[in-house]
Amino acid sequence: MRGPKDQHSSPDRNVLDRGTRHEEDEEKEPQVQECLSSDEDYDTDLELEGKEAAYDLTRQTCYVTACKKFRVVPASYFLQHMQNSTLVMMHRGLGPQGTKALAVPLVTNTSILRLNLRDNWMEGMGGAAIAEMLKGNCYITEVDLSNNNLEVYGAKAIAGMLKENITLVRLILSGNHFTDRSTEHLCPALITNTKLQHLDLSYNALGESAGEHMGDALSENTGLRSLNLAWNCIRQKGAVMLANGLGENVFLRILDLSFNGFGKEGASALGQALKENNVLEELNISNNRIPPEGAIHLAMGLKVNKTIKSLNIGRNPILNAGCYGILKSVQDNPDSALETLDFSDITVSRDFDDLYTAVKEIFPALRVNHGGCFGTFSKAKA
């Protein structure tokens, strides 16, 4: 079950000739041949040098010319903010054609460092245009392409870009209908790319195979510092393989795996990973259907881990036994770095409270959040 996301804007209002709209709504596969050159590179029509003004430092003329070619209305906001360091154009309804036009002047833009194009329904073709632009632009360091329906075709284009781009540091790709097939392209690129530090793939449809692919990528990636895989469908063997990759990774600091389906097997594999990993600092595995047995296996890793500072395992059916086991592992680890334990919506016993009091004497900075202590109200009445 997925949470509500932003409503997508319709790109129709940017098209001058509404009679041609049906051509852009056809299946993507026939369009692929039009956008691939003979050497299989993405041809997104970003080169309009012969048609632009002879002297156009701001690239405004170039953009207007591109808009005429792609039959879209120029975005006045873009024309006014082309020289800003941060460009935010969310919910503008650019569509594939509007995105292509936008990408043309961005290739040589030296002012924009952070680009936010969230929710513009650019689809795979628009995503390919941005990817091609990022191959040539060496100034943009942060890009948000979330909620753009990029799908597999867009993922393939972005993967190609990641193999060449050396300046991008943060990339947000949440809510793009990525599937296991998408990770077949993205994950090999993550092995090659060493500059990208923050990647968000949340709110997609990544499943068991995606977990395996991500596990392979994590075991070899040397650039990522934070990875968000929340709200996907990673479970069973995929969860185990991803955890195994985490165990071999020596660079990742923050990992969000919330709202997947790791269960007992995935939690056990994460426990083993925490024994081997000496870098990870924040781990979120809330809402993963982890039972008490899985929590105990996870605790075995925490008993020897020296780097985890924050663990969120809330809203899992681990019961009081699982919470108690995890807290006990902290008590038994003199080198524990834990500062925050989150057991949200899980009710604990008075024994847990007593243990927490004892642990606080050893680790006074430790904060524990839970769903309350059962038996409190009855004793209060007495």
Side-chain angles (χ1 to χ4, degrees):
M1 179 176 178
R2 299 180 180 280
K5 298 295 289 178
D6 294 329
Q7 296 297 318
H8 297 294
S9 304
S10 169
D12 289 353
R13 65 181 178 82
N14 258 352
V15 180
L16 289 177
D17 187 353
R18 295 181 180 272
T20 63
R21 184 60 193 167
H22 69 282
E23 297 177 2
E24 295 179 22
D25 290 335
E26 294 176 355
E27 293 295 326
K28 293 182 176 60
E29 290 302 322
Q31 297 179 3
V32 173
Q33 298 302 322
E34 299 176 9
C35 289
L36 288 178
S37 61
S38 58
D39 61 356
E40 296 186 350
D41 287 332
Y42 291 91
D43 179 9
T44 49
D45 298 314
L46 300 187
E47 298 181 2
L48 297 172
E49 300 299 332
K51 297 183 179 181
E52 63 179 279
Y55 193 69
D56 181 23
L57 286 178
T58 63
R59 306 293 287 173
Q60 290 184 348
T61 304
C62 174
Y63 174 57
V64 173
T65 302
C67 288
K68 289 179 180 178
K69 175 176 180 177
F70 295 115
R71 301 179 64 82
V72 294
V73 177
S76 59
Y77 183 88
F78 179 57
L79 289 170
Q80 296 167 7
H81 297 84
M82 291 178 70
Q83 304 307 309
N84 290 11
S85 61
T86 300
L87 178 66
V88 180
M89 292 188 66
M90 301 185 295
H91 323 300
R92 297 277 173 168
L94 294 174
Q97 297 298 93
T99 304
K100 287 181 181 180
L102 194 76
V104 173
L106 286 178
V107 175
T108 54
N109 184 287
T110 60
S111 300
I112 298 173
L113 306 179
R114 293 168 292 277
L115 179 63
N116 187 339
L117 296 177
R118 178 175 183 169
D119 183 27
N120 275 288
W121 207 252
M122 61 178 62
E123 301 181 344
M125 290 298 170
I130 296 299
E132 188 69 16
M133 176 273 293
L134 290 171
K135 288 181 180 180
N137 184 295
C138 57
Y139 291 89
I140 296 177
T141 60
E142 299 182 13
V143 174
D144 186 345
L145 298 180
S146 56
N147 300 101
N148 272 298
N149 197 34
L150 299 182
E151 298 186 332
V152 177
Y153 185 67
K156 184 177 180 180
I158 290 172
M161 174 273 295
L162 288 175
K163 292 178 181 179
E164 298 184 26
N165 184 284
I166 58 172
T167 56
L168 198 61
V169 174
R170 183 182 301 274
L171 179 60
I172 303 177
L173 297 170
S174 63
N176 273 299
H177 300 161
F178 287 162
T179 62
D180 291 353
R181 285 184 58 203
S182 304
T183 58
E184 292 177 8
H185 303 291
L186 289 171
C187 290
L190 292 178
I191 296 176
T192 303
N193 186 294
T194 61
K195 301 300 182 180
L196 188 68
Q197 296 184 15
H198 309 282
L199 176 62
D200 188 343
L201 290 170
S202 61
Y203 288 93
N204 281 293
L206 307 183
E208 187 172 346
S209 295
E212 297 181 34
H213 298 147
M214 289 302 304
D216 291 338
L218 279 180
S219 65
E220 298 187 49
N221 178 273
T222 59
L224 286 178
R225 299 299 184 268
S226 70
L227 176 63
N228 189 345
L229 294 172
W231 286 95
N232 278 287
C233 310
I234 302 173
R235 59 195 66 182
Q236 299 175 352
K237 184 180 178 181
V240 173
M241 293 294 289
L242 195 155
N244 291 343
L246 176 64
E248 299 177 23
N249 184 281
V250 293
F251 292 92
L252 196 67
R253 299 289 193 275
I254 302 172
L255 178 60
D256 189 344
L257 298 172
S258 59
F259 290 94
N260 278 280
F262 269 57
K264 176 183 176 181
E265 293 78 9
S268 299
L270 282 173
Q272 182 61 37
L274 292 180
K275 292 180 181 179
E276 304 167 1
N277 185 292
N278 59 357
V279 177
L280 193 69
E281 297 178 356
E282 298 181 22
L283 177 62
N284 187 343
I285 49 173
S286 60
N287 296 277
N288 265 281
R289 301 200 299 272
I290 298 174
E293 298 85 352
I296 297 302
H297 284 291
L298 185 70
M300 299 297 289
L302 291 173
K303 194 172 183 179
V304 297
N305 185 276
K306 301 178 181 180
T307 60
I308 286 287
K309 296 180 180 180
S310 174
L311 174 65
N312 186 344
I313 193 173
R315 299 179 180 87
N316 281 294
I318 64 175
L319 307 178
N320 176 74
C323 296
Y324 190 94
I326 289 176
L327 187 59
K328 188 69 170 64
S329 70
V330 178
Q331 183 186 42
D332 295 340
N333 182 0
D335 297 318
S336 175
L338 264 172
E339 300 173 355
T340 304
L341 267 175
D342 194 333
F343 299 117
S344 292
D345 291 348
I346 305 174
T347 308
V348 297
S349 68
R350 294 302 298 270
D351 289 340
F352 177 91
D353 259 358
D354 293 340
L355 176 62
Y356 179 40
T357 301
V359 174
K360 284 283 284 185
E361 295 181 0
I362 305 173
F363 303 104
L366 178 64
R367 294 183 293 107
V368 176
N369 178 40
H370 55 73
C373 184
F374 54 77
T376 302
F377 293 107
S378 60
K379 290 191 176 184
K381 290 181 180 179

